[in-house]
Amino acid sequence: MKNRYDSKEAEKFIARYPDFPPEMGLRVYTSRLIGQEEDLVLHGGGNTSAKATMANILGEEERVIFVKGSGWDLGDMEPAGLPGLKLESLCKLRALESLSDEEMVNQFRINLLDASSPNPSIETLVHAFLPHSFIDHTHADAIVTLTNQANAEELLKDALGDKIGILPFIMPGFPLAKAVIDLVESQPDMECLILRNHGIFTFADDAKTAYDRMISYVSKAEDFIAEKIEANPLPSCISEECPDTDTILPMLRGALSYTETNGFKRCFHLHVRSNNEILCAVNRLEIKDLYGGGVLTPDHVIRTKNYPLFLDFTDLGSPEEMKAHIDEAISEYTSAYHSYFNKQTKDKKVERTQLDPLPRVILVKGLGIVTAGKSLKEAKICADICEHTLRAKTASASVGKYEELDSCFIFDMEYWSLEQAKLGKKSPLPLEGKIALVTGGGGAIAVGISRKLLEAGARVFLSDIDEERLQIVHKGLSEQFGSMVRPLTMDVADPQSVVLGCGKIILEAGGLDIVVPNAGIAHVANLEDLDSAAFHKVLDVNLCGVFEIIKAVIPVFRNQGTGGNIIINSSKNVFAPGASFGAYSASKAGAHQIGKIAALELAELGVKVNMINADAIFDDGQVSSGLWDVVGPDRMRSRNLDPQGLKEYYRQRNLLKTEVLADHVGNGVVFFASDQTPTTGATLPIDGGIMAAFPR
Ligand SMILES: [Zn+2]
């Protein structure tokens, strides 16, 4: 592992924070160096601290400790992520016999220098009790690869030498802090402390030495493991056929969904990850022996659960067989989880609220890693941890035999009282975990629909045939919603393009819950002058496009088995057609009818199909409506109006004398998509009230 310390950079960091003692700049600098090394820490893992002397508000000098706050990543550390605490008060706690986690956190909070700081790390007392000025702690892959072995002590001494201390696994918090300081005091020349099944601490009185030691000890472990791998290589990789993801991913996503105690129907975001190294791992014959053990370090259990689920679709030809395999595997997994929970609560004589028993990591032969997260971010974090875990467990097999941490400790971490206290406090957004497809993504109405779906918590795939317009809309929305909104080039009038597009969504998100056929084009001509080719083109997009999308998503809904919503952006013209607008009105009426047929046919799958009849939506502020780009100029000419005048004309035309916006259509879509009423086959007008277009 590369040592990235650069004295000039370190000086710059000291200068960057003049309101703090120099220790702060150095602490931020080397925390970031550690944080950028994925083999050391992942997603908020690890922690660091520095001690310094500072004047308080009365001008009195006092000893303080800055230690990583919860919710912060070492890689983007700032002083705000290193809350300061009064060191002397914390050190006095060592005299106590015991200290509950709740009281410990209370002691942290009453000793903060800034009352608005985040909670300091749960490992703060380890940092406080140790006398060294700089302490670095990571869950380095190479270190845990060695600690999670039956003969770990022997291996660690072989690999790292004599100036190390080794402790068995002890729960983070007060007991660990006492054990650490006791051991360090008994061994004054110690440079590094290894915690079995957990990680490594290095320390020194200056930032550079503490960091140097971290890199040097981890490098020693890496070299030692590399030698073992060379001496005992695993059999070479084999290739396996990839199962049909279009079928198995929605099935898997459906099987993982459940109803929470508050009645919320939880769907997961799935994330698929694959590369040569991952494929090599999941295709191994002895996959369960190699990767079936528990987590590398207990921190991970919150993200990944303790065990992965294995799926192997070899020789399973029919969808029924695939579904049976998934259901059986998940049922085995959940019953093992229930047993673990019941045993631990009984053994420990504690009451806890059981978390969902479902796996977060699924290893699929021929495909790779599939992870499940309540948010997209959670699913990706889970996959990052899983990738490192597979690598470490593969290496473990060359070193010796992987030995997982006893589940009684895993339980303490997974069901830690402070985490339990947070349960049920945050209510989910109505569409959290849901995946949506909005076609006609380059237009104004799609912006309103997508924005409202995203605000309600859904992930949105926006499709359009016009890549340029799509990019403009996507860019605007992604500034606010990041990777929760994704562009997809697709031609709704081309069945092959639609099937390919749906396949891409499934591979990226695992399934689909909300479908909004919204793509439409307009053509202005009297029937006498209506060119046949133009008429067919309008039918292709507005009618056939809706049919193709609905047809393509039915198997997804069927495989998922969790219902769904189709909301067709229909038109006021269906009930109140206009002259010179034959192609548009007829095609929209056809699509409307397809929607009603779909409502009839898909009710048995729990899929609801509803229509929104909107009228006179011109733009969304940034993006114009494709429809009004076509019909606007003609209507302005015939009524002798400018663009503002035309908007005003339509406002005055409706009963409520109101301007209809794309966001209003979005609200209608969210209403249907969030299953607030048992409604299907219905039409919701969003037009300010037009009597001629009242549904009947
Ligand atoms: Zn730790």
Side-chain angles (χ1 to χ4, degrees):
M1 183 169 286
K2 191 172 174 231
N3 188 319
R4 299 175 190 271
Y5 198 94
D6 174 339
S7 309
K8 280 193 190 130
E9 275 298 303
E11 288 299 324
K12 280 189 209 159
F13 272 84
I14 294 173
R16 195 182 285 183
Y17 308 113
D19 296 343
F20 289 94
E23 287 88 345
M24 174 60 93
L26 291 165
R27 184 65 282 173
V28 170
Y29 174 55
T30 58
S31 297
R32 288 191 189 183
L33 294 185
I34 291 170
Q36 63 185 259
E37 210 71 69
E38 275 193 15
D39 293 343
L40 286 180
V41 290
L42 276 173
H43 301 293
N47 43 63
T48 54
S49 69
K51 299 183 180 80
T53 301
M54 248 176 112
N56 66 17
I57 194 167
L58 302 172
E60 301 157 350
E61 302 263 289
E62 58 183 7
R63 289 290 285 165
V64 297
I65 178 170
F66 299 105
V67 61
K68 196 195 94 163
S70 75
W72 280 79
D73 242 44
L74 290 179
D76 34 50
M77 192 45 76
E78 288 287 344
L82 288 161
L85 300 105
K86 293 176 193 161
L87 182 59
E88 226 172 291
S89 315
L90 292 184
C91 287
K92 282 183 187 163
L93 297 174
R94 193 181 165 191
L96 293 171
E97 269 305 305
S98 68
L99 179 64
S100 73
D101 290 337
E102 286 78 2
E103 184 51 42
M104 181 177 72
V105 173
N106 182 49
Q107 289 297 320
F108 295 165
R109 292 223 64 88
I110 61 178
N111 283 300
L112 283 171
L113 303 185
D114 176 349
S116 66
S117 293
N119 272 342
S121 160
I122 185 69
E123 278 149 358
T124 293
L125 288 184
V126 176
H127 293 266
F129 291 174
L130 287 172
H132 315 83
S133 297
F134 287 86
I135 298 166
D136 298 2
H137 167 53
T138 74
H139 307 145
D141 291 350
I143 296 294
V144 291
T145 300
L146 296 180
T147 68
N148 300 13
Q149 293 274 341
N151 57 337
E153 293 224 3
E154 198 184 308
L155 290 169
L156 287 163
K157 282 182 180 148
D158 270 5
L160 308 180
D162 297 333
K163 292 189 173 165
I164 64 164
I166 304 172
L167 278 176
F169 183 82
I170 300 170
M171 263 304 275
F174 187 64
L176 178 63
K178 289 243 275 193
V180 166
I181 184 63
D182 288 350
L183 187 71
V184 170
E185 281 178 348
S186 73
Q187 214 179 308
D189 66 340
M190 197 192 296
E191 294 179 346
C192 140
L193 176 65
I194 307 289
L195 309 177
R196 293 277 311 270
N197 299 87
H198 179 160
I200 171 172
F201 279 89
T202 55
F203 25 75
D205 280 327
D206 65 280
K208 182 173 183 300
T209 308
Y211 172 78
D212 285 348
R213 286 179 177 168
M214 177 62 70
I215 300 301
S216 135
Y217 277 102
V218 171
S219 300
K220 281 182 192 175
E222 285 178 337
D223 294 346
F224 180 83
I225 292 166
E227 277 171 31
K228 293 281 181 189
I229 292 174
E230 213 176 286
N232 314 303
L234 291 189
S236 51
C237 304
I238 43 177
S239 64
E240 294 282 350
E241 208 176 311
C242 183
D244 172 15
T245 51
D246 283 355
T247 306
I248 62 155
L249 290 174
M251 279 180 181
L252 178 59
R253 184 160 177 270
L256 290 174
S257 67
Y258 68 101
T259 304
E260 293 185 347
T261 42
N262 59 7
F264 182 74
K265 290 216 171 79
R266 171 68 65 185
C267 290
F268 284 101
H269 293 267
L270 298 190
H271 174 70
V272 179
R273 193 171 293 179
S274 200
N275 58 36
N276 287 341
E277 189 187 8
I278 292 170
L279 275 175
C280 181
V282 299
N283 291 348
R284 286 192 183 282
L285 297 174
E286 50 304 88
I287 178 171
K288 289 190 184 177
D289 284 345
L290 286 174
Y291 310 112
V295 288
L296 297 178
T297 182
D299 245 24
H300 292 172
V301 74
I302 315 288
R303 310 275 197 188
T304 65
K305 297 254 172 178
N306 199 24
Y307 301 112
L309 178 83
F310 298 96
L311 293 176
D312 176 357
F313 295 92
T314 319
D315 303 329
L316 301 182
S318 72
E320 292 74 24
E321 287 174 314
M322 296 179 192
K323 176 97 172 56
H325 174 55
I326 291 172
D327 288 347
E328 198 190 322
I330 289 184
S331 146
E332 253 174 53
Y333 188 96
T334 55
S335 64
Y337 188 87
H338 288 306
S339 310
Y340 148 78
F341 178 80
N342 292 336
K343 180 178 183 321
Q344 292 304 325
T345 45
K346 210 171 134 213
D347 286 359
K348 292 175 193 287
K349 300 189 177 61
V350 292
E351 280 199 29
R352 291 285 186 272
T353 306
Q354 192 184 326
L355 305 170
D356 75 82
L358 297 159
R360 294 296 188 274
V361 174
I362 301 102
L363 301 178
V364 185
K365 190 190 247 187
L367 174 62
I369 301 170
V370 181
T371 54
K374 290 185 176 176
S375 66
L376 180 61
K377 193 176 162 207
E378 267 184 29
K380 287 182 176 171
I381 288 176
C382 190
D384 289 346
I385 293 175
C386 179
E387 241 188 292
H388 282 262
T389 303
L390 289 183
R391 196 175 300 142
K393 287 183 176 174
T394 307
S396 273
S398 297
V399 175
K401 182 148 177 53
Y402 187 80
E403 195 175 76
E404 67 177 25
L405 182 60
D406 193 291
S407 49
C408 78
F409 295 120
I410 295 292
F411 179 86
D412 287 343
M413 194 57 106
E414 194 175 4
Y415 286 87
W416 191 43
S417 55
L418 296 175
E419 286 296 326
Q420 284 264 306
K422 290 185 206 157
L423 288 179
K425 293 253 164 85
K426 207 176 124 234
S427 56
L429 288 168
L431 299 180
E432 197 174 295
K434 299 285 194 291
I435 313 294
L437 164 64
V438 179
T439 72
I445 297 184
V447 177
I449 294 173
S450 303
R451 180 164 43 224
K452 292 296 170 182
L453 284 170
L454 287 157
E455 281 173 2
R459 187 171 189 213
V460 174
F461 288 83
L462 265 177
S463 83
D464 206 295
I465 191 173
D466 184 336
E467 225 165 303
E468 215 171 301
R469 282 183 76 112
L470 184 62
Q471 289 310 330
I472 294 169
V473 171
H474 174 253
K475 189 166 175 281
L477 288 168
S478 66
E479 273 166 22
Q480 190 180 349
F481 299 102
S483 53
M484 286 296 277
V485 55
R486 300 285 289 149
L488 179 71
T489 312
M490 182 171 87
D491 176 5
V492 292
D494 173 1
Q496 241 184 324
S497 169
V498 170
V499 170
L500 277 176
C502 289
K504 279 185 194 158
I505 295 173
I506 289 167
L507 199 57
E508 201 176 321
L512 202 48
D513 308 288
I514 302 157
V515 177
V516 188
N518 166 68
I521 55 173
H523 184 77
V524 182
N526 292 328
L527 295 180
E528 190 177 5
D529 308 319
L530 178 53
D531 175 61
S532 288
F535 181 67
H536 280 277
K537 193 169 176 228
V538 174
L539 285 185
D540 273 350
V541 177
N542 297 8
L543 171 56
C544 302
V546 172
F547 161 71
E548 296 299 348
I549 286 288
I550 293 179
K551 186 179 172 186
V553 300
I554 293 172
V556 184
F557 287 142
R558 191 180 296 284
N559 287 329
Q560 229 166 223
T562 50
N565 275 286
I566 298 174
I567 301 118
I568 298 174
N569 182 19
S570 193
S571 168
K572 156 248 168 200
N573 284 52
V574 171
F575 296 137
S580 303
F581 222 37
Y584 183 81
S585 303
S587 60
K588 282 287 189 181
H592 202 93
Q593 195 73 331
I594 291 283
K596 290 183 181 176
I597 304 294
L600 294 172
E601 294 181 0
L602 303 186
E604 62 168 23
L605 297 178
V607 175
K608 297 182 285 137
V609 188
N610 291 289
M611 279 62 78
I612 287 179
N613 283 6
D615 185 39
I617 294 162
F618 291 84
D619 56 49
D620 115 289
Q622 290 145 350
V623 183
S624 65
S625 148
L627 177 103
W628 285 91
D629 289 346
V630 175
V631 303
D634 187 61
R635 301 221 172 146
M636 283 189 276
R637 221 174 302 120
S638 68
R639 297 193 174 96
N640 200 16
L641 294 166
D642 62 4
Q644 257 338 92
L646 191 68
K647 268 192 187 181
E648 190 53 28
Y649 168 80
Y650 278 97
R651 182 210 292 270
Q652 290 308 325
R653 198 177 71 161
N654 66 51
L655 293 167
L656 297 171
K657 309 288 178 223
T658 186
E659 188 181 355
V660 186
L661 303 172
D663 278 4
H664 294 141
V665 179
N667 289 336
V669 168
V670 169
F671 167 72
F672 285 124
S674 50
D675 292 325
Q676 297 187 53
T677 59
T679 304
T680 191
T683 302
L684 176 67
I686 300 182
D687 56 8
I690 294 174
M691 200 177 75
F694 283 177
R696 69 195 86 120

